[in-house]
mmCIF file of all heavy atoms in Angstrom:
data_model
loop_
_atom_site.group_PDB
_atom_site.id
_atom_site.type_symbol
_atom_site.label_atom_id
_atom_site.label_comp_id
_atom_site.label_asym_id
_atom_site.label_seq_id
_atom_site.Cartn_x
_atom_site.Cartn_y
_atom_site.Cartn_z
ATOM 1 N N LEU Q 116 100.716 89.238 109.188
ATOM 2 C CA LEU Q 116 101.775 89.950 108.550
ATOM 3 C C LEU Q 116 101.955 91.312 109.385
ATOM 4 O O LEU Q 116 101.014 92.075 109.433
ATOM 5 C CB LEU Q 116 101.511 90.227 107.006
ATOM 6 C CG LEU Q 116 101.204 88.998 106.238
ATOM 7 C CD1 LEU Q 116 101.010 89.498 104.753
ATOM 8 C CD2 LEU Q 116 102.537 88.122 106.128
ATOM 9 N N GLY Q 117 103.166 91.581 109.799
ATOM 10 C CA GLY Q 117 103.412 92.774 110.390
ATOM 11 C C GLY Q 117 104.718 93.557 109.983
ATOM 12 O O GLY Q 117 105.727 92.896 109.833
ATOM 13 N N SER Q 118 104.548 94.857 109.892
ATOM 14 C CA SER Q 118 105.748 95.675 109.541
ATOM 15 C C SER Q 118 105.619 97.040 110.088
ATOM 16 O O SER Q 118 104.494 97.678 110.216
ATOM 17 C CB SER Q 118 105.816 95.851 107.988
ATOM 18 O OG SER Q 118 106.777 96.836 107.610
ATOM 19 N N SER Q 119 106.706 97.574 110.456
ATOM 20 C CA SER Q 119 106.761 98.932 110.967
ATOM 21 C C SER Q 119 106.784 99.836 109.648
ATOM 22 O O SER Q 119 107.055 99.376 108.599
ATOM 23 C CB SER Q 119 108.018 99.307 111.866
ATOM 24 O OG SER Q 119 109.168 98.824 111.408
ATOM 25 N N THR Q 120 106.629 101.225 109.870
ATOM 26 C CA THR Q 120 106.591 102.129 108.793
ATOM 27 C C THR Q 120 107.794 103.062 108.828
ATOM 28 O O THR Q 120 108.137 103.580 109.880
ATOM 29 C CB THR Q 120 105.273 102.940 108.737
ATOM 30 O OG1 THR Q 120 104.150 101.973 108.735
ATOM 31 C CG2 THR Q 120 105.260 103.857 107.526
ATOM 32 N N TRP Q 121 108.503 103.368 107.709
ATOM 33 C CA TRP Q 121 109.621 104.269 107.634
ATOM 34 C C TRP Q 121 109.402 105.231 106.614
ATOM 35 O O TRP Q 121 108.350 105.213 105.924
ATOM 36 C CB TRP Q 121 110.854 103.459 107.512
ATOM 37 C CG TRP Q 121 111.069 102.606 108.735
ATOM 38 C CD1 TRP Q 121 110.522 101.366 108.912
ATOM 39 C CD2 TRP Q 121 111.796 102.982 109.912
ATOM 40 N NE1 TRP Q 121 110.841 100.881 110.242
ATOM 41 C CE2 TRP Q 121 111.610 101.870 110.844
ATOM 42 C CE3 TRP Q 121 112.620 104.072 110.347
ATOM 43 C CZ2 TRP Q 121 112.177 101.830 112.112
ATOM 44 C CZ3 TRP Q 121 113.126 104.036 111.593
ATOM 45 C CH2 TRP Q 121 112.895 102.944 112.532
ATOM 46 N N GLY Q 122 110.334 106.045 106.394
ATOM 47 C CA GLY Q 122 110.210 106.928 105.346
ATOM 48 C C GLY Q 122 109.614 108.411 105.839
ATOM 49 O O GLY Q 122 108.997 108.412 107.008
ATOM 50 N N GLU Q 123 109.858 109.421 105.134
ATOM 51 C CA GLU Q 123 109.235 110.779 105.674
ATOM 52 C C GLU Q 123 108.201 111.159 104.630
ATOM 53 O O GLU Q 123 107.066 111.467 105.075
ATOM 54 C CB GLU Q 123 110.449 111.840 105.670
ATOM 55 C CG GLU Q 123 111.689 111.305 106.414
ATOM 56 C CD GLU Q 123 111.603 111.589 107.876
ATOM 57 O OE1 GLU Q 123 110.713 112.354 108.294
ATOM 58 O OE2 GLU Q 123 112.573 111.224 108.642
ATOM 59 N N ASP Q 124 108.429 111.409 103.360
ATOM 60 C CA ASP Q 124 107.530 111.934 102.391
ATOM 61 C C ASP Q 124 106.782 110.874 101.763
ATOM 62 O O ASP Q 124 105.747 111.211 101.091
ATOM 63 C CB ASP Q 124 108.234 112.816 101.384
ATOM 64 C CG ASP Q 124 108.999 113.898 102.125
ATOM 65 O OD1 ASP Q 124 108.599 114.324 103.134
ATOM 66 O OD2 ASP Q 124 110.117 114.171 101.676
ATOM 67 N N GLU Q 125 107.128 109.647 101.891
ATOM 68 C CA GLU Q 125 106.358 108.527 101.188
ATOM 69 C C GLU Q 125 106.439 107.410 102.205
ATOM 70 O O GLU Q 125 107.204 107.320 102.994
ATOM 71 C CB GLU Q 125 106.996 108.328 99.898
ATOM 72 C CG GLU Q 125 108.373 107.896 99.884
ATOM 73 C CD GLU Q 125 108.952 107.323 98.581
ATOM 74 O OE1 GLU Q 125 108.134 107.491 97.585
ATOM 75 O OE2 GLU Q 125 110.009 106.717 98.602
ATOM 76 N N ILE Q 126 105.470 106.447 102.002
ATOM 77 C CA ILE Q 126 105.356 105.167 102.909
ATOM 78 C C ILE Q 126 106.617 104.137 102.441
ATOM 79 O O ILE Q 126 106.630 103.862 101.268
ATOM 80 C CB ILE Q 126 104.039 104.630 102.585
ATOM 81 C CG1 ILE Q 126 102.920 105.402 103.098
ATOM 82 C CG2 ILE Q 126 104.023 103.227 103.285
ATOM 83 C CD1 ILE Q 126 101.508 104.961 102.723
ATOM 84 N N GLU Q 127 107.325 103.933 103.490
ATOM 85 C CA GLU Q 127 108.311 102.906 103.321
ATOM 86 C C GLU Q 127 108.129 101.834 104.248
ATOM 87 O O GLU Q 127 107.930 101.950 105.534
ATOM 88 C CB GLU Q 127 109.740 103.391 103.474
ATOM 89 C CG GLU Q 127 110.200 104.255 102.355
ATOM 90 C CD GLU Q 127 111.609 104.861 102.688
ATOM 91 O OE1 GLU Q 127 112.446 104.278 103.367
ATOM 92 O OE2 GLU Q 127 111.952 105.928 102.102
ATOM 93 N N LEU Q 128 108.121 100.587 103.670
ATOM 94 C CA LEU Q 128 107.951 99.396 104.686
ATOM 95 C C LEU Q 128 109.200 99.132 105.350
ATOM 96 O O LEU Q 128 110.268 99.579 104.787
ATOM 97 C CB LEU Q 128 107.487 98.074 103.829
ATOM 98 C CG LEU Q 128 105.998 98.077 103.594
ATOM 99 C CD1 LEU Q 128 105.512 99.047 102.675
ATOM 100 C CD2 LEU Q 128 105.498 96.654 103.243
ATOM 101 N N GLN Q 129 109.184 98.487 106.425
ATOM 102 C CA GLN Q 129 110.505 98.199 107.095
ATOM 103 C C GLN Q 129 111.241 97.321 106.073
ATOM 104 O O GLN Q 129 110.869 96.488 105.386
ATOM 105 C CB GLN Q 129 110.070 97.338 108.393
ATOM 106 C CG GLN Q 129 111.291 97.140 109.307
ATOM 107 C CD GLN Q 129 112.055 95.853 108.977
ATOM 108 O OE1 GLN Q 129 111.603 95.068 108.299
ATOM 109 N NE2 GLN Q 129 113.376 96.073 109.401
ATOM 110 N N ASP Q 130 112.624 97.637 106.002
ATOM 111 C CA ASP Q 130 113.642 97.160 105.142
ATOM 112 C C ASP Q 130 113.408 95.574 104.950
ATOM 113 O O ASP Q 130 113.356 95.264 103.757
ATOM 114 C CB ASP Q 130 115.084 97.281 105.670
ATOM 115 C CG ASP Q 130 115.492 98.813 105.266
ATOM 116 O OD1 ASP Q 130 114.668 99.434 104.547
ATOM 117 O OD2 ASP Q 130 116.492 99.118 105.784
ATOM 118 N N ASP Q 131 113.426 94.815 105.901
ATOM 119 C CA ASP Q 131 113.430 93.340 105.691
ATOM 120 C C ASP Q 131 112.095 92.735 105.144
ATOM 121 O O ASP Q 131 111.948 91.756 104.624
ATOM 122 C CB ASP Q 131 113.528 92.576 107.189
ATOM 123 C CG ASP Q 131 114.875 92.962 107.839
ATOM 124 O OD1 ASP Q 131 115.799 93.215 107.049
ATOM 125 O OD2 ASP Q 131 114.911 93.094 109.060
ATOM 126 N N PHE Q 132 111.001 93.572 105.286
ATOM 127 C CA PHE Q 132 109.756 93.249 104.826
ATOM 128 C C PHE Q 132 109.562 93.560 103.341
ATOM 129 O O PHE Q 132 108.772 92.871 102.730
ATOM 130 C CB PHE Q 132 108.533 94.030 105.637
ATOM 131 C CG PHE Q 132 107.378 93.207 105.610
ATOM 132 C CD1 PHE Q 132 107.043 92.249 106.532
ATOM 133 C CD2 PHE Q 132 106.364 93.424 104.633
ATOM 134 C CE1 PHE Q 132 105.812 91.544 106.624
ATOM 135 C CE2 PHE Q 132 105.132 92.598 104.481
ATOM 136 C CZ PHE Q 132 104.995 91.770 105.556
ATOM 137 N N VAL Q 133 110.352 94.455 102.836
ATOM 138 C CA VAL Q 133 110.189 94.889 101.464
ATOM 139 C C VAL Q 133 110.365 93.611 100.479
ATOM 140 O O VAL Q 133 109.530 93.557 99.574
ATOM 141 C CB VAL Q 133 111.291 95.980 101.072
ATOM 142 C CG1 VAL Q 133 111.108 96.319 99.649
ATOM 143 C CG2 VAL Q 133 110.978 97.235 101.936
ATOM 144 N N PRO Q 134 111.351 92.851 100.540
ATOM 145 C CA PRO Q 134 111.530 91.734 99.548
ATOM 146 C C PRO Q 134 110.280 90.756 99.553
ATOM 147 O O PRO Q 134 109.967 90.268 98.546
ATOM 148 C CB PRO Q 134 112.837 90.993 99.912
ATOM 149 C CG PRO Q 134 113.506 91.953 100.823
ATOM 150 C CD PRO Q 134 112.404 92.834 101.409
ATOM 151 N N LEU Q 135 109.717 90.603 100.699
ATOM 152 C CA LEU Q 135 108.504 89.725 100.861
ATOM 153 C C LEU Q 135 107.287 90.382 100.249
ATOM 154 O O LEU Q 135 106.587 89.909 99.447
ATOM 155 C CB LEU Q 135 108.108 89.595 102.285
ATOM 156 C CG LEU Q 135 108.578 88.364 103.152
ATOM 157 C CD1 LEU Q 135 107.992 88.340 104.554
ATOM 158 C CD2 LEU Q 135 108.445 87.108 102.440
ATOM 159 N N PHE Q 136 107.196 91.734 100.522
ATOM 160 C CA PHE Q 136 106.125 92.463 99.990
ATOM 161 C C PHE Q 136 106.149 92.529 98.535
ATOM 162 O O PHE Q 136 104.969 92.351 97.806
ATOM 163 C CB PHE Q 136 106.196 93.859 100.496
ATOM 164 C CG PHE Q 136 105.073 94.788 100.112
ATOM 165 C CD1 PHE Q 136 103.743 94.675 100.887
ATOM 166 C CD2 PHE Q 136 105.036 95.634 99.071
ATOM 167 C CE1 PHE Q 136 102.764 95.447 100.520
ATOM 168 C CE2 PHE Q 136 103.961 96.454 98.783
ATOM 169 C CZ PHE Q 136 102.873 96.414 99.535
ATOM 170 N N GLU Q 137 107.390 92.693 97.957
ATOM 171 C CA GLU Q 137 107.465 92.813 96.437
ATOM 172 C C GLU Q 137 107.143 91.404 95.725
ATOM 173 O O GLU Q 137 106.890 91.535 94.540
ATOM 174 C CB GLU Q 137 108.922 93.298 96.056
ATOM 175 C CG GLU Q 137 109.011 94.775 96.443
ATOM 176 C CD GLU Q 137 110.433 95.340 96.192
ATOM 177 O OE1 GLU Q 137 111.334 94.475 95.819
ATOM 178 O OE2 GLU Q 137 110.530 96.486 96.156
ATOM 179 N N ARG Q 138 107.168 90.417 96.324
ATOM 180 C CA ARG Q 138 106.737 89.013 95.764
ATOM 181 C C ARG Q 138 105.690 88.249 96.579
ATOM 182 O O ARG Q 138 105.640 87.101 96.508
ATOM 183 C CB ARG Q 138 108.058 88.254 95.711
ATOM 184 C CG ARG Q 138 109.145 89.037 94.799
ATOM 185 C CD ARG Q 138 110.343 88.074 94.453
ATOM 186 N NE ARG Q 138 110.923 87.342 95.710
ATOM 187 C CZ ARG Q 138 111.292 86.072 95.756
ATOM 188 N NH1 ARG Q 138 111.098 85.350 94.641
ATOM 189 N NH2 ARG Q 138 111.884 85.658 96.851
ATOM 190 N N LEU Q 139 104.808 89.129 97.213
ATOM 191 C CA LEU Q 139 103.720 88.507 97.956
ATOM 192 C C LEU Q 139 102.744 87.725 97.042
ATOM 193 O O LEU Q 139 102.161 86.841 97.590
ATOM 194 C CB LEU Q 139 103.056 89.627 98.579
ATOM 195 C CG LEU Q 139 102.420 89.409 99.992
ATOM 196 C CD1 LEU Q 139 103.411 88.808 100.937
ATOM 197 C CD2 LEU Q 139 101.926 90.761 100.659
ATOM 198 N N GLU Q 140 102.870 87.884 95.727
ATOM 199 C CA GLU Q 140 101.892 87.003 94.860
ATOM 200 C C GLU Q 140 102.354 85.605 94.903
ATOM 201 O O GLU Q 140 101.646 84.684 94.385
ATOM 202 C CB GLU Q 140 101.915 87.643 93.409
ATOM 203 C CG GLU Q 140 103.160 87.493 92.645
ATOM 204 C CD GLU Q 140 104.316 88.572 92.953
ATOM 205 O OE1 GLU Q 140 104.062 89.339 93.882
ATOM 206 O OE2 GLU Q 140 105.316 88.543 92.394
ATOM 207 N N LEU Q 141 103.555 85.372 95.487
ATOM 208 C CA LEU Q 141 103.968 83.922 95.553
ATOM 209 C C LEU Q 141 103.548 83.277 96.867
ATOM 210 O O LEU Q 141 103.767 82.017 96.980
ATOM 211 C CB LEU Q 141 105.502 83.843 95.466
ATOM 212 C CG LEU Q 141 106.167 84.436 94.269
ATOM 213 C CD1 LEU Q 141 107.707 84.459 94.364
ATOM 214 C CD2 LEU Q 141 105.728 83.770 92.908
ATOM 215 N N ALA Q 142 102.796 83.906 97.660
ATOM 216 C CA ALA Q 142 102.597 83.393 99.045
ATOM 217 C C ALA Q 142 101.338 82.498 99.038
ATOM 218 O O ALA Q 142 101.053 81.860 100.016
ATOM 219 C CB ALA Q 142 102.345 84.611 99.990
ATOM 220 N N GLY Q 143 100.531 82.436 98.087
ATOM 221 C CA GLY Q 143 99.310 81.612 97.999
ATOM 222 C C GLY Q 143 98.153 82.204 98.850
ATOM 223 O O GLY Q 143 97.572 81.584 99.586
ATOM 224 N N LEU Q 144 97.980 83.565 98.633
ATOM 225 C CA LEU Q 144 97.098 84.294 99.529
ATOM 226 C C LEU Q 144 95.579 84.163 99.089
ATOM 227 O O LEU Q 144 94.679 84.531 99.960
ATOM 228 C CB LEU Q 144 97.437 85.700 99.609
ATOM 229 C CG LEU Q 144 98.600 86.037 100.448
ATOM 230 C CD1 LEU Q 144 99.276 87.382 100.166
ATOM 231 C CD2 LEU Q 144 98.158 86.027 101.931
ATOM 232 N N ARG Q 145 95.335 83.649 97.887
ATOM 233 C CA ARG Q 145 93.883 83.651 97.495
ATOM 234 C C ARG Q 145 93.040 82.807 98.437
ATOM 235 O O ARG Q 145 93.479 81.615 98.699
ATOM 236 C CB ARG Q 145 93.787 83.101 96.012
ATOM 237 C CG ARG Q 145 92.400 83.042 95.465
ATOM 238 C CD ARG Q 145 92.430 83.227 93.966
ATOM 239 N NE ARG Q 145 93.115 84.429 93.567
ATOM 240 C CZ ARG Q 145 92.585 85.754 93.550
ATOM 241 N NH1 ARG Q 145 91.414 85.873 94.123
ATOM 242 N NH2 ARG Q 145 93.192 86.706 93.151
ATOM 243 N N GLY Q 146 92.062 83.281 99.044
ATOM 244 C CA GLY Q 146 91.222 82.590 99.866
ATOM 245 C C GLY Q 146 91.794 82.575 101.365
ATOM 246 O O GLY Q 146 91.057 81.932 102.242
ATOM 247 N N ALA Q 147 92.931 83.007 101.661
ATOM 248 C CA ALA Q 147 93.582 82.793 102.896
ATOM 249 C C ALA Q 147 93.011 83.795 103.883
ATOM 250 O O ALA Q 147 92.612 84.907 103.618
ATOM 251 C CB ALA Q 147 95.057 83.086 102.869
#
Side-chain angles (χ1 to χ4, degrees):
L116 297 173
S118 170
S119 52
T120 303
W121 296 83
E123 307 271 354
D124 304 324
E125 55 173 13
I126 296 168
E127 285 177 26
L128 278 73
Q129 192 276 336
D130 280 351
D131 302 324
F132 204 90
V133 172
L135 269 188
F136 185 80
E137 286 178 345
R138 298 194 306 138
L139 215 47
E140 68 279 4
L141 302 177
L144 281 159
R145 185 150 302 281

